[in-house]
Amino acid sequence: MRGAYRRIHNWIVPPYATLLVEDTLPKQLKRRTLYIVEEDGFQEQAAMICPCGCHSVLHMNLLPDERPCWRVTRHDDGTTTLHPSVWRKKDCGSHFWFRNGRVVWC
């Protein structure tokens, strides 16, 4: 049943939007949006509002010289994938994969 629910949910709810921003994040982030911050042609961080509903802003480092580090893949359909999973080890404790613009809970 979980698989059927997931397929229906993915059909009804559109994927997250991905916005590329220069230098800094906007002061107010939109829900269901993944922001990619670029500076001087380099992707520095990804940010989003936590999908659990706690309203915290999640920041994922994209610079390979720093740890932890995530990779971003942009797909032909306009969606984005982050690798590895995002796991908040404090506060809400959310743990999820962000694949093709969708949150897949662990």
Side-chain angles (χ1 to χ4, degrees):
M1 186 63 168
R2 285 173 50 172
Y5 173 77
R6 183 177 298 140
R7 284 190 297 277
I8 291 170
H9 181 267
N10 287 345
W11 180 70
I12 294 171
V13 178
Y16 276 57
T18 301
L19 290 179
L20 298 175
V21 295
E22 289 290 324
D23 301 326
T24 60
L25 286 169
K27 291 181 182 180
Q28 188 81 23
L29 301 187
K30 296 178 184 177
R31 289 181 58 237
R32 299 191 55 77
T33 302
L34 178 71
Y35 294 85
I36 307 295
V37 179
E38 292 184 333
E39 188 171 329
D40 297 327
F42 294 97
Q43 294 181 340
E44 292 191 346
Q45 71 169 307
M48 64 191 295
I49 295 175
C50 188
C52 82
C54 73
H55 305 290
S56 294
V57 176
L58 307 179
H59 298 271
M60 286 71 66
N61 169 51
L62 301 178
L63 297 172
D65 295 342
E66 298 178 19
R67 298 284 184 252
C69 178
W70 283 262
R71 289 188 316 274
V72 171
T73 304
R74 299 287 311 264
H75 304 287
D76 292 338
D77 63 1
T79 62
T80 305
T81 295
L82 285 175
H83 186 80
S85 66
V86 178
W87 188 1
R88 295 194 72 203
K89 294 187 179 185
K90 59 180 183 175
D91 298 324
C92 69
S94 291
H95 188 194
F96 59 91
W97 288 92
F98 191 81
R99 294 182 176 153
N100 296 89
R102 300 190 184 279
V103 171
V104 179
W105 293 100
C106 293

